[in-house]
Amino acid sequence: GENVEQHPSTLSVQEGDSAVIKCTYSDSASNYFPWYKQELGKRPQLIIDIRSNVGEKKDQRIAVTLNKTAKHFSLHITETQPEDSAVYFCAASQNAGTASKLTFGTGTRLQVTL
Amino acid sequence: DAGITQSPRYKITETGRQVTLMCHQTWSHSYMFWYRQDLGHGLRLIYYSAAADITDKGEVPDGYVVSRSKTENFPLTLESATRSQTSVYFCASSPSGDRSYEQYFGPGTRLTVT
C-alpha cells in the first residue's frame, strides 16, 4: 500500500518568514495530494490540494508543488502569521472513481513566533 | 462545518466493553470514513463506505465494526474495547463525482479505554 513520509516533524519560524513542509509518497499511482491543517483540539481542515496533472497550485499565502518523477510534494507558506501555528498533515490517494482513501503523513507541528 | 457531527465527543470506557461512536452528516455525501489519530501515526483509515450498505476495510480495521443503513449515518463499534484503542476518532465524508477527492472531517471523539 501507499506510504507517506513527512518532514520535518516540528518547525519553528519567525512571523513573516516562510515555512516549507515536505512529503514523499511511494505509490506512483497516487494522483491526489491534499494538505490539512489541524489546530489544537480541532478537526483537520483541508487547506489546499493538488492533482497529479498539475505541478503547482497557489491560494493566497499558501502553495503546493508536486514532483511526480521524484514522488514528492511540498507545502509552502509565505509571510507566516501566528494563526498559521498548527499541525499540518499531507496525504496521498488514488481516486479511481470510488472513495478516495487517504494515506496521511505523520504531521508537522508549525510554530510561528513573534 | 456543522454538516458533520460526532457523538459523544468524549468517552471513557473499560476494557472489554462494547462502545459505539456515532457520525451523522447532513450534506448527503456518498462517501464516509472513520480514522483514528494517534501521536506519531497521523490519521489512519479504519473503515470507509461508498454508499448505504457498502462498506470496506481501511488500514487498521481489526477490532472495529461499521454499518451504514442510512446515507447520513456511519456508526463505528468497538466490540470489545482494548487499551490500544484509546485514541481520537474522526469521521469524515466526501461527495461523489468530481469532488469525491475532498474529505470533510467531523469534530472528533476522544475515547479512553481504561
Side-chain angles (χ1 to χ4, degrees), chain B residues 5 7 14 19-20 29-30 39 41 54 59 61 63 66 84-85 90 93 101 107 110-111:
Chain B
T5 57
S7 61
E14 294 177 342
V19 60
T20 296
H29 283 175
S30 297
L39 199 61
H41 290 280
I54 301 176
E59 182 184 352
V66 294
S84 65
Q85 292 177 310
F90 286 99
S93 70
Y101 291 97
R110 183 175 294 275
L111 176 68

PDB file of all heavy atoms in Angstrom, chain B residues 5 7 14 19-20 29-30 39 41 54 59 61 63 66 84-85 90 93 101 107 110-111:
ATOM      1  N   THR B   5     -21.352  15.769  12.264  1.00  0.00           N
ATOM      2  CA  THR B   5     -21.263  15.775  13.711  1.00  0.00           C
ATOM      3  C   THR B   5     -20.909  14.390  14.218  1.00  0.00           C
ATOM      4  O   THR B   5     -21.179  13.377  13.556  1.00  0.00           O
ATOM      5  CB  THR B   5     -22.584  16.239  14.342  1.00  0.00           C
ATOM      6  OG1 THR B   5     -23.643  15.381  13.896  1.00  0.00           O
ATOM      7  CG2 THR B   5     -22.904  17.674  13.956  1.00  0.00           C
ATOM      8  N   SER B   7     -20.801  11.966  17.964  1.00  0.00           N
ATOM      9  CA  SER B   7     -21.179  11.859  19.371  1.00  0.00           C
ATOM     10  C   SER B   7     -20.814  10.482  19.896  1.00  0.00           C
ATOM     11  O   SER B   7     -20.831   9.494  19.132  1.00  0.00           O
ATOM     12  CB  SER B   7     -22.687  12.094  19.547  1.00  0.00           C
ATOM     13  OG  SER B   7     -23.436  11.127  18.833  1.00  0.00           O
ATOM     14  N   GLU B  14     -14.364   0.904  29.842  1.00  0.00           N
ATOM     15  CA  GLU B  14     -13.462  -0.095  30.424  1.00  0.00           C
ATOM     16  C   GLU B  14     -13.106  -1.158  29.392  1.00  0.00           C
ATOM     17  O   GLU B  14     -13.882  -1.429  28.461  1.00  0.00           O
ATOM     18  CB  GLU B  14     -14.128  -0.759  31.629  1.00  0.00           C
ATOM     19  CG  GLU B  14     -14.351   0.201  32.791  1.00  0.00           C
ATOM     20  CD  GLU B  14     -15.066  -0.464  33.948  1.00  0.00           C
ATOM     21  OE1 GLU B  14     -15.689  -1.519  33.748  1.00  0.00           O
ATOM     22  OE2 GLU B  14     -15.005   0.085  35.062  1.00  0.00           O
ATOM     23  N   VAL B  19     -18.518  -0.321  22.717  1.00  0.00           N
ATOM     24  CA  VAL B  19     -18.827   1.106  22.629  1.00  0.00           C
ATOM     25  C   VAL B  19     -19.064   1.473  21.174  1.00  0.00           C
ATOM     26  O   VAL B  19     -18.410   0.944  20.276  1.00  0.00           O
ATOM     27  CB  VAL B  19     -17.688   1.949  23.249  1.00  0.00           C
ATOM     28  CG1 VAL B  19     -16.372   1.715  22.531  1.00  0.00           C
ATOM     29  CG2 VAL B  19     -18.033   3.422  23.253  1.00  0.00           C
ATOM     30  N   THR B  20     -20.038   2.346  20.965  1.00  0.00           N
ATOM     31  CA  THR B  20     -20.360   2.793  19.613  1.00  0.00           C
ATOM     32  C   THR B  20     -20.184   4.293  19.507  1.00  0.00           C
ATOM     33  O   THR B  20     -20.698   5.052  20.333  1.00  0.00           O
ATOM     34  CB  THR B  20     -21.798   2.405  19.231  1.00  0.00           C
ATOM     35  OG1 THR B  20     -21.904   0.974  19.207  1.00  0.00           O
ATOM     36  CG2 THR B  20     -22.161   2.948  17.854  1.00  0.00           C
ATOM     37  N   HIS B  29     -23.596  13.396   1.472  1.00  0.00           N
ATOM     38  CA  HIS B  29     -22.387  12.889   0.852  1.00  0.00           C
ATOM     39  C   HIS B  29     -22.457  11.381   0.702  1.00  0.00           C
ATOM     40  O   HIS B  29     -22.931  10.671   1.580  1.00  0.00           O
ATOM     41  CB  HIS B  29     -21.156  13.258   1.687  1.00  0.00           C
ATOM     42  CG  HIS B  29     -20.733  14.670   1.524  1.00  0.00           C
ATOM     43  ND1 HIS B  29     -19.714  15.237   2.264  1.00  0.00           N
ATOM     44  CD2 HIS B  29     -21.174  15.655   0.706  1.00  0.00           C
ATOM     45  CE1 HIS B  29     -19.541  16.488   1.880  1.00  0.00           C
ATOM     46  NE2 HIS B  29     -20.418  16.771   0.957  1.00  0.00           N
ATOM     47  N   SER B  30     -21.924  10.902  -0.425  1.00  0.00           N
ATOM     48  CA  SER B  30     -21.957   9.457  -0.666  1.00  0.00           C
ATOM     49  C   SER B  30     -20.957   8.712   0.209  1.00  0.00           C
ATOM     50  O   SER B  30     -21.238   7.642   0.728  1.00  0.00           O
ATOM     51  CB  SER B  30     -21.632   9.177  -2.139  1.00  0.00           C
ATOM     52  OG  SER B  30     -22.596   9.746  -2.981  1.00  0.00           O
ATOM     53  N   LEU B  39      -0.625   9.921  18.299  1.00  0.00           N
ATOM     54  CA  LEU B  39       0.644  10.636  18.210  1.00  0.00           C
ATOM     55  C   LEU B  39       1.672   9.770  17.503  1.00  0.00           C
ATOM     56  O   LEU B  39       1.839   8.596  17.821  1.00  0.00           O
ATOM     57  CB  LEU B  39       1.118  10.996  19.613  1.00  0.00           C
ATOM     58  CG  LEU B  39       2.157  12.114  19.709  1.00  0.00           C
ATOM     59  CD1 LEU B  39       1.601  13.412  19.160  1.00  0.00           C
ATOM     60  CD2 LEU B  39       2.620  12.288  21.144  1.00  0.00           C
ATOM     61  N   HIS B  41       1.537   8.726  14.486  1.00  0.00           N
ATOM     62  CA  HIS B  41       0.976   7.954  13.380  1.00  0.00           C
ATOM     63  C   HIS B  41       0.120   8.786  12.446  1.00  0.00           C
ATOM     64  O   HIS B  41      -0.329   8.298  11.412  1.00  0.00           O
ATOM     65  CB  HIS B  41       0.125   6.799  13.908  1.00  0.00           C
ATOM     66  CG  HIS B  41       0.919   5.713  14.548  1.00  0.00           C
ATOM     67  ND1 HIS B  41       1.584   4.740  13.821  1.00  0.00           N
ATOM     68  CD2 HIS B  41       1.173   5.446  15.840  1.00  0.00           C
ATOM     69  CE1 HIS B  41       2.197   3.928  14.653  1.00  0.00           C
ATOM     70  NE2 HIS B  41       1.977   4.318  15.882  1.00  0.00           N
ATOM     71  N   ILE B  54     -22.754  -0.311   1.786  1.00  0.00           N
ATOM     72  CA  ILE B  54     -21.482  -0.661   1.141  1.00  0.00           C
ATOM     73  C   ILE B  54     -20.351  -0.152   2.023  1.00  0.00           C
ATOM     74  O   ILE B  54     -20.163   1.060   2.174  1.00  0.00           O
ATOM     75  CB  ILE B  54     -21.361  -0.037  -0.258  1.00  0.00           C
ATOM     76  CG1 ILE B  54     -22.501  -0.503  -1.157  1.00  0.00           C
ATOM     77  CG2 ILE B  54     -20.007  -0.388  -0.875  1.00  0.00           C
ATOM     78  CD1 ILE B  54     -22.508   0.159  -2.527  1.00  0.00           C
ATOM     79  N   GLU B  59      -6.923   0.729   6.594  1.00  0.00           N
ATOM     80  CA  GLU B  59      -5.593   0.285   7.004  1.00  0.00           C
ATOM     81  C   GLU B  59      -5.587  -0.470   8.327  1.00  0.00           C
ATOM     82  O   GLU B  59      -4.830  -1.432   8.504  1.00  0.00           O
ATOM     83  CB  GLU B  59      -4.689   1.516   7.120  1.00  0.00           C
ATOM     84  CG  GLU B  59      -3.252   1.239   7.501  1.00  0.00           C
ATOM     85  CD  GLU B  59      -2.446   2.525   7.686  1.00  0.00           C
ATOM     86  OE1 GLU B  59      -2.975   3.614   7.378  1.00  0.00           O
ATOM     87  OE2 GLU B  59      -1.299   2.427   8.159  1.00  0.00           O
ATOM     88  N   PRO B  61      -8.445  -2.060  10.457  1.00  0.00           N
ATOM     89  CA  PRO B  61      -9.832  -2.395  10.776  1.00  0.00           C
ATOM     90  C   PRO B  61     -10.044  -3.352  11.955  1.00  0.00           C
ATOM     91  O   PRO B  61     -11.173  -3.473  12.450  1.00  0.00           O
ATOM     92  CB  PRO B  61     -10.296  -3.073   9.479  1.00  0.00           C
ATOM     93  CG  PRO B  61      -9.053  -3.761   8.985  1.00  0.00           C
ATOM     94  CD  PRO B  61      -7.915  -2.830   9.340  1.00  0.00           C
ATOM     95  N   GLY B  63     -10.770  -5.184  15.218  1.00  0.00           N
ATOM     96  CA  GLY B  63     -11.393  -4.771  16.466  1.00  0.00           C
ATOM     97  C   GLY B  63     -12.540  -3.797  16.289  1.00  0.00           C
ATOM     98  O   GLY B  63     -13.156  -3.383  17.269  1.00  0.00           O
ATOM     99  N   VAL B  66     -18.405  -1.620  11.438  1.00  0.00           N
ATOM    100  CA  VAL B  66     -19.189  -0.476  10.967  1.00  0.00           C
ATOM    101  C   VAL B  66     -20.451  -0.976  10.289  1.00  0.00           C
ATOM    102  O   VAL B  66     -20.565  -2.141   9.896  1.00  0.00           O
ATOM    103  CB  VAL B  66     -18.397   0.415   9.984  1.00  0.00           C
ATOM    104  CG1 VAL B  66     -17.230   1.099  10.671  1.00  0.00           C
ATOM    105  CG2 VAL B  66     -17.943  -0.393   8.772  1.00  0.00           C
ATOM    106  N   SER B  84      -5.353  -0.363  23.621  1.00  0.00           N
ATOM    107  CA  SER B  84      -4.706   0.117  22.388  1.00  0.00           C
ATOM    108  C   SER B  84      -5.672   0.889  21.491  1.00  0.00           C
ATOM    109  O   SER B  84      -5.244   1.534  20.515  1.00  0.00           O
ATOM    110  CB  SER B  84      -4.114  -1.058  21.610  1.00  0.00           C
ATOM    111  OG  SER B  84      -5.146  -1.920  21.152  1.00  0.00           O
ATOM    112  N   GLN B  85      -6.955   0.839  21.808  1.00  0.00           N
ATOM    113  CA  GLN B  85      -7.936   1.587  21.032  1.00  0.00           C
ATOM    114  C   GLN B  85      -8.210   2.970  21.636  1.00  0.00           C
ATOM    115  O   GLN B  85      -9.046   3.718  21.114  1.00  0.00           O
ATOM    116  CB  GLN B  85      -9.237   0.787  20.918  1.00  0.00           C
ATOM    117  CG  GLN B  85      -9.069  -0.454  20.055  1.00  0.00           C
ATOM    118  CD  GLN B  85     -10.320  -1.305  19.969  1.00  0.00           C
ATOM    119  OE1 GLN B  85     -10.942  -1.654  20.990  1.00  0.00           O
ATOM    120  NE2 GLN B  85     -10.710  -1.666  18.753  1.00  0.00           N
ATOM    121  N   PHE B  90     -11.945  10.291  14.230  1.00  0.00           N
ATOM    122  CA  PHE B  90     -12.552  11.281  13.350  1.00  0.00           C
ATOM    123  C   PHE B  90     -13.362  10.579  12.268  1.00  0.00           C
ATOM    124  O   PHE B  90     -12.881   9.643  11.617  1.00  0.00           O
ATOM    125  CB  PHE B  90     -11.492  12.146  12.681  1.00  0.00           C
ATOM    126  CG  PHE B  90     -10.863  13.156  13.589  1.00  0.00           C
ATOM    127  CD1 PHE B  90      -9.632  12.907  14.173  1.00  0.00           C
ATOM    128  CD2 PHE B  90     -11.500  14.371  13.852  1.00  0.00           C
ATOM    129  CE1 PHE B  90      -9.042  13.844  15.007  1.00  0.00           C
ATOM    130  CE2 PHE B  90     -10.913  15.307  14.687  1.00  0.00           C
ATOM    131  CZ  PHE B  90      -9.680  15.040  15.274  1.00  0.00           C
ATOM    132  N   SER B  93     -16.479  12.811   5.555  1.00  0.00           N
ATOM    133  CA  SER B  93     -17.348  12.499   4.423  1.00  0.00           C
ATOM    134  C   SER B  93     -16.865  13.236   3.192  1.00  0.00           C
ATOM    135  O   SER B  93     -16.148  14.236   3.288  1.00  0.00           O
ATOM    136  CB  SER B  93     -18.799  12.861   4.731  1.00  0.00           C
ATOM    137  OG  SER B  93     -18.973  14.264   4.793  1.00  0.00           O
ATOM    138  N   TYR B 101     -12.762  13.712  -4.145  1.00  0.00           N
ATOM    139  CA  TYR B 101     -11.447  13.796  -3.526  1.00  0.00           C
ATOM    140  C   TYR B 101     -11.501  14.484  -2.164  1.00  0.00           C
ATOM    141  O   TYR B 101     -10.725  14.196  -1.271  1.00  0.00           O
ATOM    142  CB  TYR B 101     -10.500  14.633  -4.388  1.00  0.00           C
ATOM    143  CG  TYR B 101     -10.087  14.028  -5.696  1.00  0.00           C
ATOM    144  CD1 TYR B 101     -10.726  14.363  -6.880  1.00  0.00           C
ATOM    145  CD2 TYR B 101      -9.008  13.154  -5.763  1.00  0.00           C
ATOM    146  CE1 TYR B 101     -10.308  13.825  -8.091  1.00  0.00           C
ATOM    147  CE2 TYR B 101      -8.582  12.622  -6.966  1.00  0.00           C
ATOM    148  CZ  TYR B 101      -9.228  12.964  -8.126  1.00  0.00           C
ATOM    149  OH  TYR B 101      -8.813  12.438  -9.318  1.00  0.00           O
ATOM    150  N   PRO B 107     -15.862  16.760  14.250  1.00  0.00           N
ATOM    151  CA  PRO B 107     -15.088  17.351  15.341  1.00  0.00           C
ATOM    152  C   PRO B 107     -14.281  16.349  16.153  1.00  0.00           C
ATOM    153  O   PRO B 107     -13.429  16.745  16.941  1.00  0.00           O
ATOM    154  CB  PRO B 107     -16.164  18.008  16.211  1.00  0.00           C
ATOM    155  CG  PRO B 107     -17.390  17.212  15.943  1.00  0.00           C
ATOM    156  CD  PRO B 107     -17.304  16.797  14.502  1.00  0.00           C
ATOM    157  N   ARG B 110     -12.931  11.764  21.495  1.00  0.00           N
ATOM    158  CA  ARG B 110     -11.767  11.308  22.265  1.00  0.00           C
ATOM    159  C   ARG B 110     -12.196  10.137  23.133  1.00  0.00           C
ATOM    160  O   ARG B 110     -13.033  10.301  24.029  1.00  0.00           O
ATOM    161  CB  ARG B 110     -11.205  12.441  23.122  1.00  0.00           C
ATOM    162  CG  ARG B 110      -9.951  12.036  23.899  1.00  0.00           C
ATOM    163  CD  ARG B 110      -9.358  13.216  24.638  1.00  0.00           C
ATOM    164  NE  ARG B 110      -8.856  14.241  23.733  1.00  0.00           N
ATOM    165  CZ  ARG B 110      -7.658  14.244  23.175  1.00  0.00           C
ATOM    166  NH1 ARG B 110      -6.817  13.255  23.438  1.00  0.00           N
ATOM    167  NH2 ARG B 110      -7.294  15.223  22.380  1.00  0.00           N
ATOM    168  N   LEU B 111     -11.646   8.966  22.829  1.00  0.00           N
ATOM    169  CA  LEU B 111     -12.012   7.741  23.541  1.00  0.00           C
ATOM    170  C   LEU B 111     -10.851   7.271  24.410  1.00  0.00           C
ATOM    171  O   LEU B 111      -9.730   7.139  23.928  1.00  0.00           O
ATOM    172  CB  LEU B 111     -12.375   6.635  22.552  1.00  0.00           C
ATOM    173  CG  LEU B 111     -12.686   5.263  23.163  1.00  0.00           C
ATOM    174  CD1 LEU B 111     -13.978   5.319  23.970  1.00  0.00           C
ATOM    175  CD2 LEU B 111     -12.783   4.192  22.091  1.00  0.00           C
TER     176      LEU B 111
END
